[in-house]
Amino acid sequence: MVSWFRRARERLDAPRLKPRNDQRAMERVDLHELSPKLPAYLAQAAYLQLTFFETLGHVVASAPTTEAKIALARVADRALDKHEALVAEIVRRGDDPAKAMEPFRAGVDEFQRVTRGNDWYENLVTCYVTAGFLDDFFVLLGAGYTGEAATRSVAVFRRPSGSEDLVALIQAGIDANPRLGSRLAMWGRRLVGDTMLVARSALVFGANHDTDEARIEPVFTELIAAHTRRMDALGLTA
Amino acid sequence: MVSWFRRARERLDAPRLKPRNDQRAMERVDLHELSPKLPAYLAQAAYLQLTFFETLGHVVASAPTTEAKIALARVADRALDKHEALVAEIVRRGDDPAKAMEPFRAGVDEFQRVTRGNDWYENLVTCYVTAGFLDDFFVLLGAGYTGEAATRSVAVFRRPSGSEDLVALIQAGIDANPRLGSRLAMWGRRLVGDTMLVARSALVFGANHDTDEARIEPVFTELIAAHTRRMDALGLTA
């Protein structure tokens, strides 16, 4: 396993979990000492869903066929519904959604900028890979909270995201032009690095950095395993 | 009243209705002999809602504040929900939504292109003016059909579109920069012409063109009156 985040200082010898094959396995990984406070969790996630929606809006507008537009509009609607459900949680807590999201705007906007593809297919892969990874990540992180708001929010990230529609469209493109596949595999590798960085930015590190790194590593191992399965579904190597 | 569509050939002396002040008045105007078949009505309207959503997605992505993004995402969600409700009607009839919408794509895409604003505020006005006008138009046109599908579809166009959020954002821009108001008033005038043309493209003309023109004129008089009230709500002259 490649550690994406290990500082050069020293090698840790933390125990590693092998990638497992089901989502419930992921939730046994313990992240909650690094979890941000619930309002920050809700706000960053809500703003991320908003940017997924924006990117999906762009792929709807630039879709080459009416059929693709209709399918992608459904996917966009799902991101928007997730965003609105998280905004509703923020409002329910008595917080102002815009103020709550503001601190995350610059970082997430930059993430959106660096994950913008060069063409329609790369943007489809961006929607599929980044939203898939971050939904998984927020499910994992959400396991660290107690209370109904957290339970409802985790349920939001578990909602279907329409990834099967994205897979079908990307797959059709690769079938028609096999050289597209290797380009999209490269793009997927690029995306996972940036996506891990934005996920990592949600975590709150304590005084003992090495302990925290050791705690994060198995979590990201699980998330990368899920990413690998996601690329497999496209017939691409992660 | 200016007739936007009158052919140069001759002047008609059809009776004119004066603009009335409530929506129910509009529905007394009779358009149904010019109404397209229900599948075409559903398909063109569904594709139009999809383009409203695309334009709203663009204004969300280019919004200057997080607060504006959140408000506009709600408006976009409403357009998307209308689109999906209309798609559901098409599917319920046993038709393929993409095939049904295809004949309208070129015309509506061109409409979207010519109504694209030069900046964020012009695009907000585009969302407000064109969707407002066309929702009114499809309510009117829908009165010409019988049956539950038509009743449900008319109810879709009557759903709130979030125009109060658009008005608040545009109004705030004009308050901060009064010169913006005159530019947006000009833009509104430009938009209404293009919007009337796309509405007119939905109608089916018979052999007696002059009779049809006479029938259309009061309808568009009502729609322009509603447009004028919409511009009034911004403090602008239509």
Side-chain angles (χ1 to χ4, degrees), chain B residues 2-218:
Chain B
V2 177
S3 170
W4 293 73
F5 296 133
R6 183 79 54 75
R7 301 296 149 88
R9 298 171 296 165
E10 59 185 302
R11 289 257 137 214
L12 289 172
D13 211 51
R16 309 283 160 82
L17 292 181
K18 281 198 293 186
R20 293 186 192 115
N21 282 319
D22 71 317
Q23 169 124 343
R24 269 164 307 156
M26 272 206 229
E27 289 156 43
R28 288 198 293 271
V29 174
D30 181 17
L31 250 186
H32 77 265
E33 293 194 30
L34 300 172
S35 298
K37 294 204 187 306
L38 186 62
Y41 168 86
L42 294 173
Q44 185 170 16
Y47 195 80
L48 275 163
Q49 294 294 339
L50 189 58
T51 66
F52 298 155
F53 154 72
E54 289 177 7
T55 304
L56 284 160
H58 179 68
V59 297
V60 171
S62 54
T65 68
T66 307
E67 195 171 2
K69 270 183 195 282
I70 297 170
L72 291 168
R74 265 197 317 265
V75 181
D77 199 21
R78 288 173 167 177
L80 208 39
D81 287 346
K82 289 183 185 188
H83 163 74
E84 299 208 337
L86 295 166
V87 167
E89 286 303 332
I90 295 169
V91 170
R92 198 176 273 140
R93 294 179 54 82
D95 294 338
D96 176 81
K99 281 199 190 114
M101 291 182 212
E102 199 60 44
F104 303 104
R105 183 169 181 181
V108 174
D109 284 358
E110 176 64 10
F111 168 65
Q112 184 184 36
R113 195 186 64 73
V114 298
T115 58
R116 190 171 296 145
N118 293 304
D119 66 4
W120 189 66
Y121 283 106
E122 287 188 1
N123 281 319
L124 287 181
V125 173
T126 296
C127 296
Y128 174 59
V129 163
T130 64
F133 191 102
L134 291 168
D135 277 354
D136 282 353
F137 174 73
F138 280 100
V139 165
L140 273 176
L141 205 52
Y145 305 104
T146 52
E148 286 181 22
T151 307
R152 281 191 302 264
S153 303
V154 168
V156 167
F157 300 116
R158 283 228 184 84
R159 288 183 194 172
S161 62
S163 58
E164 67 288 355
D165 287 313
L166 296 173
V167 168
L169 289 166
I170 299 164
Q171 194 69 74
I174 295 172
D175 288 349
N177 172 15
R179 287 176 59 188
L180 179 63
S182 54
R183 182 155 62 82
L184 296 181
M186 293 258 287
W187 182 243
R189 272 169 230 138
R190 156 81 188 281
L191 289 172
V192 75
D194 289 320
T195 309
M196 288 169 78
L197 286 171
V198 83
R200 187 177 164 91
S201 77
L203 301 175
V204 178
F205 291 86
N208 190 336
H209 207 89
D210 288 347
T211 311
D212 288 348
E213 293 291 344
R215 190 172 277 131
I216 291 171
E217 191 147 316

Side-chain angles (χ1 to χ4, degrees), chain A residues 94-168:
Chain A
D95 294 337
D96 176 82
K99 281 198 189 116
M101 290 182 212
E102 199 60 43
F104 303 104
R105 184 170 181 182
V108 174
D109 284 358
E110 176 64 10
F111 168 65
Q112 185 185 34
R113 196 187 63 75
V114 297
T115 57
R116 190 171 297 145
N118 293 304
D119 67 4
W120 187 67
Y121 283 105
E122 287 189 2
N123 282 318
L124 287 182
V125 173
T126 296
C127 296
Y128 174 59
V129 163
T130 65
F133 191 103
L134 291 168
D135 278 354
D136 281 354
F137 173 74
F138 281 100
V139 165
L140 273 176
L141 205 53
Y145 305 103
T146 52
E148 285 181 24
T151 307
R152 280 191 302 263
S153 304
V154 168
V156 167
F157 299 116
R158 282 227 184 83
R159 289 184 193 171
S161 61
S163 57
E164 67 288 354
D165 288 313
L166 296 172
V167 168

Side-chain angles (χ1 to χ4, degrees), chain A residues 205-224:
Chain A
F205 290 85
N208 191 335
H209 206 89
D210 287 348
T211 311
D212 288 347
E213 293 291 345
R215 190 171 278 131
I216 290 170
E217 190 147 317
V219 175
F220 279 87
T221 303
E222 296 288 354
L223 291 169
I224 290 169

Side-chain angles (χ1 to χ4, degrees), chain A residues 19-208:
Chain A
R20 292 182 194 119
N21 282 321
D22 70 316
Q23 170 124 341
R24 269 165 306 156
M26 271 208 230
E27 289 155 45
R28 290 198 291 273
V29 174
D30 181 18
L31 250 186
H32 77 265
E33 294 194 29
L34 300 172
S35 297
K37 294 202 188 305
L38 185 62
Y41 168 85
L42 294 173
Q44 185 171 16
Y47 195 80
L48 275 163
Q49 293 293 340
L50 189 58
T51 65
F52 298 155
F53 154 71
E54 289 177 7
T55 304
L56 284 160
H58 179 68
V59 295
V60 170
S62 53
T65 68
T66 308
E67 194 172 5
K69 271 184 195 279
I70 296 170
L72 291 168
R74 265 196 318 265
V75 181
D77 199 21
R78 286 171 168 179
L80 208 40
D81 287 347
K82 289 183 184 187
H83 163 75
E84 298 208 338
L86 294 165
V87 167
E89 287 303 332
I90 295 169
V91 169
R92 198 177 273 139
R93 294 179 55 83
D95 294 337
D96 176 82
K99 281 198 189 116
M101 290 182 212
E102 199 60 43
F104 303 104
R105 184 170 181 182
V108 174
D109 284 358
E110 176 64 10
F111 168 65
Q112 185 185 34
R113 196 187 63 75
V114 297
T115 57
R116 190 171 297 145
N118 293 304
D119 67 4
W120 187 67
Y121 283 105
E122 287 189 2
N123 282 318
L124 287 182
V125 173
T126 296
C127 296
Y128 174 59
V129 163
T130 65
F133 191 103
L134 291 168
D135 278 354
D136 281 354
F137 173 74
F138 281 100
V139 165
L140 273 176
L141 205 53
Y145 305 103
T146 52
E148 285 181 24
T151 307
R152 280 191 302 263
S153 304
V154 168
V156 167
F157 299 116
R158 282 227 184 83
R159 289 184 193 171
S161 61
S163 57
E164 67 288 354
D165 288 313
L166 296 172
V167 168
L169 290 166
I170 298 165
Q171 194 69 73
I174 295 171
D175 288 349
N177 172 15
R179 287 176 60 189
L180 179 64
S182 54
R183 182 155 62 83
L184 296 181
M186 293 258 288
W187 181 242
R189 273 168 229 139
R190 156 83 188 280
L191 288 172
V192 75
D194 289 319
T195 309
M196 288 171 77
L197 286 171
V198 84
R200 189 178 163 90
S201 77
L203 301 175
V204 179
F205 290 85
N208 191 335

